[in-house]
Amino acid sequence: MHVLLDLFFTFAYLGLISVGGASAVISEMERQVVIVHGWMSHQAFVEAYALGLLVPGPNMLHVVLIGDRVAGLPGAIASGLGAFGPTSCVLASIAWLIKQPNPPAWIKKFHAALGPVTIGLMLATVWNLGKDIVFLKDILSAVICFLALLLSVRGLLNTGWIVLLALLTGAIKGFFSN
């Protein structure tokens, strides 16, 4: 029961600080899951995150995979409720309070101020998830990373397709290198 509460409160905390979207807190999520709680390795976290991107739906479905790995179905439910429940309640409360077609000026200012914070958090995510990739020694991996960045920033291709194409390219490379 203790681990279920840990899962719920860890992901509730992460959900509430995910200003700018779920991608902004992936670094903190990895720190909580891998270092603080020791629920899984860095590699297993990256794999759960990548698999979560491929599943249709909200972009934080990897939290359900993490919860499932830690405590089975009850863990998946606890982590999912933690990630989506409190944030949904806060947003519903704010929507109920505002009840205006145009939000107050302070909301627009708050949103604009958080833009640079979100960009910094996303860069930290990219660094943390890719820190074990030795792409400087492999030109093909560097090209794949650059193309994935370009395609996703330009919005030309869904992230799930980028992951699948990178997987296919890596599989083909592995097949021919053996």
Side-chain angles (χ1 to χ4, degrees):
M1 183 66 169
H2 186 263
V3 72
L4 296 178
L5 289 173
D6 283 347
L7 282 166
F8 177 82
F9 286 116
T10 298
F11 287 106
Y13 153 71
L14 292 167
L16 289 170
I17 66 165
S18 63
V19 176
S23 298
V25 295
I26 297 299
S27 292
E28 176 62 11
M29 186 180 300
E30 187 223 2
R31 189 181 78 78
Q32 289 289 324
V33 169
V34 175
I35 297 170
V36 174
H37 295 287
W39 287 328
M40 61 178 45
S41 68
H42 170 74
Q43 184 62 35
F45 179 83
V46 171
E47 290 168 1
Y49 177 67
L51 186 58
L53 289 176
L54 296 175
V55 177
N59 62 353
M60 274 191 58
L61 286 180
H62 55 279
V63 303
V64 176
L65 295 171
I66 294 168
D68 181 63
R69 178 158 179 175
V70 173
L73 182 59
I77 293 169
S79 61
L81 287 175
F84 301 114
T87 306
S88 298
C89 291
V90 168
L91 291 176
S93 299
I94 290 173
W96 180 76
L97 287 173
I98 294 175
K99 288 188 180 180
Q100 297 177 28
N102 295 323
W106 67 268
I107 290 180
K108 290 180 181 179
K109 291 177 183 177
F110 183 72
H111 186 263
L114 290 176
V117 173
T118 301
I119 291 170
L121 290 171
M122 290 179 143
L123 287 173
T125 296
V126 169
W127 178 259
N128 277 342
L129 293 181
K131 64 185 172 191
D132 294 335
I133 299 173
V134 189
F135 65 86
L136 294 177
K137 296 181 180 178
D138 181 5
I139 190 69
L140 180 62
S141 297
V143 169
I144 290 171
C145 289
F146 177 74
L147 287 175
L149 175 68
L150 183 66
L151 290 171
S152 63
V153 167
R154 293 283 186 180
L156 299 174
L157 198 58
N158 183 300
T159 309
W161 287 111
I162 293 171
V163 171
L164 283 175
L165 290 172
L167 173 72
L168 180 63
T169 306
I172 291 170
K173 178 185 171 209
F175 178 75
F176 285 114
S177 66
N178 290 333

